[in-house]
Amino acid sequence: MTKKRIHFIGGGQMAEAMIRACIANKSVAAEQFTVTDIHEARLQYLNETYGVITDSSQGKLLAAADLIVIAVRPQDNLAALGEAVKQSAQPAAAIVSIVAGVTIEKLAGFFGAERPIIRVIPNTLTDTGYGYSGVALNDHAAVDQVDDFLHGFGKVQVLEERLIDIFTGYGVCGPNYIYYFIESLADAGVLAGLPREQAWNVALENLVGSVAMLRQTGLHPRQLLDINNSPGGVGIHGLYELNNSDFAAGLQRSVLAAVKRTTELGAK
C-alpha cells in the first residue's frame, strides 16, 4: 500500500471510480485521498461514501500532496489551477493529469516546466481489475512515482505521448464497442427465438470463453475461425452475412472517430 498523499482537483465520476477501486484493492487508504470540487454536494457524497478528506482549503491540501490529480474537463480553467499549484504545492509534487487531449507541453505551461508531469488516460473498467490505463511522462517524472496508485485501478501501459490520443479512442473507449457488440449479439438471439435471459447468458459466456481460448492457445482469431467453420456449414454462412454487413469497417471507423474527437478536445 502506497503512503503517498493524493489530492484530486475534481471529484467527478472518473475520479470516484479511481478512488473507489484503490480503496477496495487496499492500494491506497481512504485517508490518503483528498478532494476538492466546485460542487459542495459532491464533496459531501465522496466524504460520506469513501471517507476521503474534503473539508480543507485547496491551498492546504495542495501543500500536503505528493500526487496532484487533475480531474477536470478540457475546457475548464487549467491556467487558474496551474497558478494555485505553483503557489501552494511542493516542487516535487507530481501532476497526474487525466484531462483528455491536453498534452504534456500544455500542462507544463500551466503547472511548470520543471515539475514532474504524468499524463494518464484511465481505463473505465476500474472496479474489475481489468483494462489498461495509458501513461506518458515528461523528463522529470518516473513511473515509480505513480505505479502503486495506477495499479490500484487496473493495468498500465507506458506509451510515447504521440500514441495517447490513439490509446484513448481505441483502448479506453474499447468497452463501449464490446458492450454494443454484446447487446447486439443478445438481441440477435432474441430475434432468432431464444428467451432474453438465455440469449444474454450465452452471449456473455461465449465472449469470456472466446477470450480464454485465444489466450490459452495463442492462436490468431482467423485460425480459430478456420477450426470452427466446416465447409458449407452453419458458421461460415453466418460469417458470410456478417462480412456483407460492413461490420469490420464500421468498427474501425468508430475507433478513428473516437481518436479524432480526443484530438479535437485537446485542441480547444
Side-chain angles (χ1 to χ4, degrees), residues 95-201:
I95 294 295
V96 179
S97 171
I98 67 169
V99 185
V102 179
T103 65
I104 288 175
E105 182 179 7
K106 286 184 179 180
L107 292 167
F110 294 130
F111 297 98
E114 302 302 314
R115 185 176 294 279
I117 297 177
I118 300 138
R119 187 178 170 196
V120 178
I121 306 300
N123 77 80
T124 58
L125 301 172
T126 50
D127 295 308
T128 69
Y130 290 100
Y132 285 101
S133 294
V135 180
L137 307 92
N138 72 355
D139 292 337
H140 302 290
V143 174
D144 59 10
Q145 288 179 281
V146 289
D147 200 49
D148 290 342
F149 169 50
L150 298 182
H151 276 95
F153 52 89
K155 301 176 177 67
V156 174
Q157 285 193 357
V158 178
L159 307 167
E160 296 178 42
E161 191 183 17
R162 66 182 180 84
L163 299 176
I164 283 287
D165 287 352
I166 299 171
F167 184 89
T168 303
Y170 174 67
V172 176
C173 293
N176 286 357
Y177 314 130
I178 304 300
Y179 295 147
Y180 188 75
F181 170 75
I182 294 171
E183 179 189 39
S184 300
L185 183 60
D187 284 349
V190 175
L191 178 65
L194 282 178
R196 170 67 64 179
E197 184 176 0
Q198 282 185 305
W200 181 248
N201 288 333

Side-chain angles (χ1 to χ4, degrees), residues 30-78:
E31 60 270 19
Q32 291 168 244
F33 284 115
T34 59
V35 186
T36 53
D37 192 275
I38 60 174
H39 300 291
E40 187 61 37
R42 185 66 181 166
L43 293 177
Q44 183 177 349
Y45 163 79
L46 293 171
N47 173 258
E48 293 175 352
T49 304
Y50 304 106
V52 300
I53 298 168
T54 62
D55 59 353
S56 296
S57 69
Q58 178 90 289
K60 181 178 179 181
L61 297 178
L62 285 171
D66 299 300
L67 300 178
I68 301 166
V69 183
I70 310 301
V72 299
R73 301 172 302 172
Q75 60 267 38
D76 287 339
N77 192 345
L78 292 174

